[in-house]
Amino acid sequence: ARVAFFDYDGPRHSFDVPEDLYHDYYRKSRRMANATMTSNSWGTDPVGYDGMSHELDSFVYDNPDFLAVMAAGNYGSRGHYSLSSPGNAKNCLTIGATKSSPEAFSSWGNPTGIRINDKSYVIDNLPGFRHFAASRRLKNVPAKVWKDCSLKDLTPCSHIDCVLFVKHNDSCTAQEILDKAKFLDIPMVIFEGFKGVLVEAPWKVYLDIGAGMLPSEIFDDVWKEAEKKGTNVTAPVVTTSPRKVETVVPGFSSKGPTRDGRNKPDVLAPGDKTQSVHSDGSITSMNCGEVQLMTGTSMATPIAAGGAALVRQYFREGWYPSGKKDINSTLNRHPSAALIKAVIINGAESVDPDFSYNIKGKIEHLTTIPST
């Protein structure tokens, strides 16, 4: 197997998607790298079936063995019908996100939560943030609440170590809140999230502010504690979650169905606080400096693509139907994208019914193929 990378850096060092995906992306990857699969962690704002969706579907129709694995998008706060394009196309495998197990991060020593007085809470990443941790450790610092977008309310928290708790409101955006927190040197902001009130991912990158979310049903209790005088917060801390988080869909993951009524995303994969590469910041070294925690369906998509590649290898090496490798087998040695997609969707495990997002389930241990 081979892996090819295509750089679509624009003239201003921005991601610049070709206008003609059929010829300038899919066909080019086919001709230049003989690609049979692409992993795509990008997409538009939520729209209906558009030109990019059509170009993807057309290329797969003309090249039946070509599988495009697409991110669903990070617009779950907008509710249903929030899929990105071309992830809403018919012939691609569209990937939403599940939460990743905090127990795994605890074993790596990564901070995953906060402690208020004597009770700990798991914090969820704010979409677009590399990490939850602030630039400095906070130990028994004051908890403050912010009820509107006025700087006046933040005066007691200005230029001191504190943790700011922000309830969802329509008077200001997460971007504005974090801008003001940075101006006042507030090291950590915890937002209310989920249940349709998840804050949008800010566009700016903040390296010196810790930011995260708590589900609405938990945030209400934390808010009441934070309002009390003398409430102290320690963050970040290593903690674990009382719920089985692997089966929970994070609020940022875009939801189906598509606007024309099709079930999407197709499956889920871990996309919350996953280990990803981190540039060392040098344009001359061409090296990654270290790994980092990142959140989004952009993280879930390559995980699913890796699984799809293994399914393709399963057929290419003749493991089907005996379950034993047979290089002389001619059955399904050139699997179609539709076959790989069907194997993954039908082998996915169910998610909690409370988090039904018009999907089949999550990728973990595919039930359609032995020993995967």
Side-chain angles (χ1 to χ4, degrees), residues 22 64 115 118 140 144 156 171 175 201 224 235 281 316 323 327 336 368:
Y22 188 107
R115 184 165 58 247
D118 59 350
N140 292 327
K144 300 293 182 180
S171 59
Q175 185 75 72
K224 293 175 183 177
R316 290 281 293 165
I327 59 174
S336 67
T368 40

Side-chain angles (χ1 to χ4, degrees), residues 341-369:
K341 181 177 174 181
V343 168
I344 291 176
I345 292 176
N346 286 282
E349 297 186 3
S350 297
V351 295
D352 278 340
D354 291 342
F355 294 87
S356 177
Y357 288 70
N358 294 83
I359 49 174
K360 163 67 179 178
K362 59 182 178 128
I363 298 175
E364 191 166 300
H365 304 291
L366 293 181
T367 59
T368 40
I369 292 182

Side-chain angles (χ1 to χ4, degrees), residues 60-249:
V60 177
Y61 181 84
D62 294 337
N63 300 268
D65 63 338
F66 187 89
L67 178 64
V69 185
M70 300 296 309
N74 300 326
Y75 299 97
S77 61
R78 302 188 186 183
H80 294 284
Y81 309 100
S82 58
L83 292 158
S84 296
S85 170
N88 59 4
K90 301 174 183 178
N91 294 336
C92 63
L93 182 66
T94 307
I95 311 301
T98 63
K99 288 192 175 182
S100 306
S101 172
E103 287 81 359
F105 299 120
S106 296
S107 65
W108 296 334
N110 291 310
T112 60
I114 60 174
R115 184 165 58 247
I116 300 177
N117 294 332
D118 59 350
K119 192 171 183 179
S120 297
Y121 299 90
V122 174
I123 296 296
D124 296 285
N125 275 25
L126 191 68
F129 265 67
R130 300 186 314 171
H131 49 61
F132 158 65
S135 59
R136 53 190 182 271
R137 182 172 175 79
L138 308 173
K139 186 174 181 181
N140 292 327
V141 301
K144 300 293 182 180
V145 298
W146 198 14
K147 297 182 180 179
D148 57 40
C149 282
S150 169
L151 284 175
K152 181 179 179 181
D153 281 356
L154 291 179
T155 302
C157 207
S158 176
H159 300 287
I160 66 169
D161 282 348
C162 72
V163 175
L164 185 66
F165 293 87
V166 181
K167 270 196 174 184
H168 171 75
N169 64 76
D170 296 324
S171 59
C172 54
T173 66
Q175 185 75 72
E176 293 170 321
I177 292 169
L178 292 168
D179 280 341
K180 292 178 180 180
K182 181 175 177 61
F183 175 74
L184 295 174
D185 195 29
I186 296 171
M188 186 170 292
V189 182
I190 306 298
F191 292 90
E192 177 185 23
F194 304 155
K195 300 292 185 183
V197 293
L198 179 69
V199 293
E200 296 285 356
W203 288 105
K204 291 183 180 178
V205 176
Y206 298 87
L207 300 180
D208 50 357
I209 298 178
M213 303 177 298
L214 280 169
S216 296
E217 61 271 18
I218 297 175
F219 189 90
D220 288 340
D221 294 334
V222 173
W223 178 273
K224 293 175 183 177
E225 287 295 316
E227 284 186 308
K228 299 177 182 177
K229 290 184 178 181
T231 297
N232 291 323
V233 182
T234 296
V237 297
V238 174
T239 183
T240 57
S241 173
R243 63 183 186 273
K244 187 180 179 183
V245 297
E246 299 97 314
T247 61
V248 176
V249 180

